[in-house]
Amino acid sequence: MTAVEAAASAGGLLEPTGEAAASVRRVGFGVGKGGIRKKRCRSTKAAKRPCDVKREVPSSLQLQRLFLACRQVFKGPGTVPSQSDVDKLCQILDGMMPEDVGLSSNLQFFNPNGVVEGNPRVTNTTIYSCDNFSLCIFFLPTTAVIPLHNHPGMTVFSKLLLGSMHIKAYDWVDEVSAPLAIGDSNKDGQAMRLARLKANQVFTAPCSTSVLYPTSGGNIHEFKAITPCAVLDVLGPPYSEDDGRDCSHYRDIPYDALSSGKVSEAEEDSKLFGWLEEIEIPEESKMYVIQYKGPQVVE
């Protein structure tokens, strides 16, 4: 069973859109005079697979509470929620259970002994999306990775609903123009920037909601599944290439590999830092996209 088939079999709650069981969303990168530039996204349909039987899905009070709170909290691009609003959303998310989005640890996808054929690929589904925020779920089979990527101008809440995953997260040490933040350049002339490690540990559900901000909280992060996982993400605002919030990917290089005394003596523990180099989109970033068929929100 592939990752997308396993996710789509989740009690009939996640059903494919249109004729295909899923689509692989591909984001291309190219290198031009200005360095790395991003190309438009495109979707490639996968082979047709049988759909699960539709059934009536009950509403979720907790999911509806989250939706209504997001409408109040997220004011649009260029804004960051206040601390009281962050606390409000965290309180709701901390109380959410897998059943609030139609999931259960008994579903076949979350069987830790299940075998996923081929390279494990992440599946995502969108519960709701507008200009100000989006609610989505990521399904990661064992060993699947969402590679190191950023969230430009975004505040993101992540709630691990099921499973265990390793999270590594960074923030930039300083602005790009600061000399202490710039390392050597790669062969394409892209500078490697110094970043501070904010998280590097395993999280297991149930656990507290994590929050990242436009310039803090681990804005650049990577997820790696230890067991099959489901993560509920709230992004405000969502990615938008047209509005300058396109996703960039990075590889991290140990600080010692390029260090030249650029961190003060008070911060000389090299394990707390790394050099980040922007790269073309990794193969692991290509995801299956399926339609959300769990409890719905009411506008």
Side-chain angles (χ1 to χ4, degrees):
M1 173 177 289
T2 66
V4 67
E5 288 171 326
S9 69
L13 298 179
L14 299 177
E15 185 177 58
T17 302
E19 296 182 352
S23 62
V24 180
R25 188 167 180 79
R26 303 179 185 275
V27 182
F29 287 72
V31 178
K33 293 182 179 179
I36 293 179
R37 58 183 174 80
K38 302 175 179 64
K39 299 177 182 177
R40 291 279 181 182
C41 300
R42 66 182 186 275
S43 295
T44 303
K45 290 185 177 180
K48 185 175 181 179
R49 299 182 179 90
C51 300
D52 292 321
V53 177
K54 292 184 179 180
R55 63 184 178 84
E56 291 298 321
V57 179
S59 61
S60 164
L61 178 60
Q62 196 73 351
L63 180 60
Q64 185 67 21
R65 286 184 61 209
L66 175 64
F67 168 71
L68 294 176
C70 286
R71 290 214 302 190
Q72 295 178 340
V73 167
F74 294 109
K75 310 299 184 184
T79 63
V80 177
S82 67
Q83 186 58 54
S84 61
D85 283 339
V86 168
D87 292 342
K88 178 194 301 184
L89 288 184
C90 283
Q91 183 179 34
I92 296 173
L93 284 163
D94 285 345
M96 291 196 69
M97 305 293 290
E99 291 75 14
D100 291 315
V101 290
L103 299 177
S104 166
S105 59
N106 295 325
L107 295 173
Q108 184 177 359
F109 177 83
F110 299 106
N111 179 1
N113 298 318
V115 177
V116 178
E117 299 175 359
N119 295 326
R121 178 165 283 176
V122 179
T123 298
N124 78 62
T125 187
T126 299
I127 299 172
Y128 177 85
S129 183
C130 65
D131 289 343
N132 288 355
F133 69 93
S134 65
L135 309 175
C136 54
I137 306 173
F138 294 89
F139 299 91
L140 290 79
T142 302
T143 73
V145 176
I146 299 180
L148 205 59
H149 62 284
N150 69 345
H151 306 81
M154 301 159 64
T155 303
V156 180
F157 297 74
S158 295
K159 170 63 176 177
L160 183 60
L161 295 170
L162 289 163
S164 296
M165 66 164 50
H166 180 270
I167 299 178
K168 179 185 283 189
Y170 291 94
D171 285 322
W172 298 122
V173 166
D174 212 332
E175 296 298 326
V176 67
S177 59
L180 295 184
I182 303 298
D184 296 332
S185 297
N186 61 18
K187 62 181 180 180
D188 297 314
Q190 294 295 313
M192 287 173 277
R193 291 178 60 187
L194 186 61
R196 184 190 304 274
L197 190 65
K198 303 297 291 186
N200 188 23
Q201 64 189 96
V202 173
F203 293 82
T204 300
C207 56
S208 299
T209 302
S210 62
V211 188
L212 63 82
Y213 302 89
T215 60
S216 63
N219 183 277
I220 305 164
H221 68 196
E222 171 191 87
F223 291 168
K224 181 178 295 184
I226 306 300
T227 67
C229 296
V231 184
L232 172 62
D233 264 11
V234 179
L235 298 88
Y239 286 108
S240 171
E241 183 179 1
D242 293 338
D243 294 330
R245 294 189 306 279
D246 202 2
C247 184
S248 297
H249 292 82
Y250 302 88
R251 72 180 180 99
D252 55 344
I253 302 167
Y255 171 74
D256 291 340
L258 296 175
S259 63
S260 56
K262 294 182 180 180
V263 176
S264 67
E265 294 182 2
E267 302 172 321
E268 61 186 12
D269 187 349
S270 63
K271 293 182 180 180
L272 297 179
F273 298 88
W275 297 100
L276 301 190
E277 174 189 4
E278 187 174 355
I279 60 172
E280 296 182 3
I281 184 169
E283 178 66 24
E284 300 93 328
S285 287
K286 299 171 184 176
M287 300 182 184
Y288 292 114
V289 179
I290 58 177
Q291 184 179 352
Y292 174 73
K293 301 299 290 185
Q296 303 295 304
V297 296
V298 180
E299 298 190 58

